[in-house]
Amino acid sequence: MKSLRLLNFILLPSSFFLLFACASILSGNDPVVVNAERTTQLAYDTFDTLFTIERANADLIKANAPEVHAAVDNLRRQAPQWLATARTMTKAYKTNRSAENKANLGTALAVLRAGELEALKYSSTVAKTAASP
Amino acid sequence: MGTTAIIALIEAAVAAAMNLFSFATKAAADLKQDAELTPEQEAKLDALIATAPTQDAWKPDAS
């Protein structure tokens, strides 16, 4: 369990550090749009990785950490909608870069990031359970 | 623990590590984005998101 906590300790801050490793935005591009698109792509990849690993080790996860399997399944149900909403709000903002659309986009991205953080939290647990049943 | 079980364990660990490495590579590429997506890139991202629920790994258990 100590090594699991250590994995969580390393993985979560590392994901935040990655955010600061973003490339600077080229002149002429709206930072709001670029960050929204980056966030959406990264969230998709995070979910895809978690779901793939968990599915590949589903029997082990269900047997040893059923609450994790249930939580990941819950993410499976919600992630597509979070991603789709983030894209819809991004496109709405690109069409009309109003304060209201910017706020709506911000809300959609906050929801998406919260889901992504939860996915990151479970990623280390799933990987650890898969490696040491 | 028998040899077969140990080998299965190692294979699972390697597969998980490879998935995580693949994620790190994709994440690094995502963060390198420095301009708004082109229409083609947007279409590709939208297609990925739209078809995600049809992928086996994305399907929740039927319950």
Side-chain angles (χ1 to χ4, degrees):
Chain A
M1 290 311 273
K2 280 186 184 175
S3 57
L4 172 59
R5 287 199 199 100
L6 179 63
L7 269 173
N8 278 323
F9 180 75
I10 292 169
L11 195 62
L12 282 176
S14 300
S15 63
F16 282 109
F17 176 75
L18 273 177
L19 291 175
F20 292 100
C22 294
S24 55
I25 296 169
L26 292 177
S27 166
N29 289 273
D30 188 336
V32 173
V33 173
V34 177
N35 285 323
E37 291 170 344
R38 268 184 197 160
T39 299
T40 307
Q41 289 188 118
L42 188 57
Y44 174 87
D45 287 333
T46 302
F47 291 129
D48 194 49
T49 299
L50 170 64
F51 298 159
T52 300
I53 296 177
E54 201 274 345
R55 183 52 45 87
N57 299 279
D59 292 341
L60 262 173
I61 305 296
K62 284 179 196 174
N64 296 291
E67 71 286 356
V68 171
H69 174 73
V72 174
D73 251 10
N74 191 43
L75 285 173
R76 284 187 172 105
R77 290 185 192 94
Q78 299 191 73
Q81 188 56 52
W82 293 334
L83 290 162
T85 302
R87 288 298 299 144
T88 300
M89 295 298 135
T90 302
K91 290 173 195 173
Y93 174 74
K94 286 179 78 168
T95 303
N96 177 5
R97 303 187 193 218
S98 66
E100 183 182 357
N101 283 341
K102 184 179 178 182
N104 289 339
L105 175 56
T107 300
L109 291 176
V111 170
L112 181 60
R113 281 197 198 99
E116 183 190 1
L117 279 176
E118 198 174 338
L120 282 171
K121 181 179 80 175
Y122 289 118
S123 288
S124 63
T125 308
V126 165
K128 171 78 174 149
T129 305
S132 54
Chain B
M1 188 182 287
T3 308
T4 308
I6 291 172
I7 291 171
L9 209 70
I10 293 171
E11 285 178 347
V14 169
M18 286 173 67
N19 270 311
L20 289 171
F21 177 75
S22 171
F23 165 68
T25 306
K26 283 187 247 179
D30 291 341
L31 292 168
K32 280 183 184 171
Q33 180 193 346
D34 55 7
E36 296 179 28
L37 293 177
T38 63
E40 293 76 23
Q41 289 170 324
E42 278 199 88
K44 187 178 173 187
L45 177 59
D46 289 334
L48 271 179
I49 291 170
T51 58
T54 64
Q55 295 180 47
D56 179 63
W58 283 68
K59 292 177 185 172
D61 285 350
S63 56

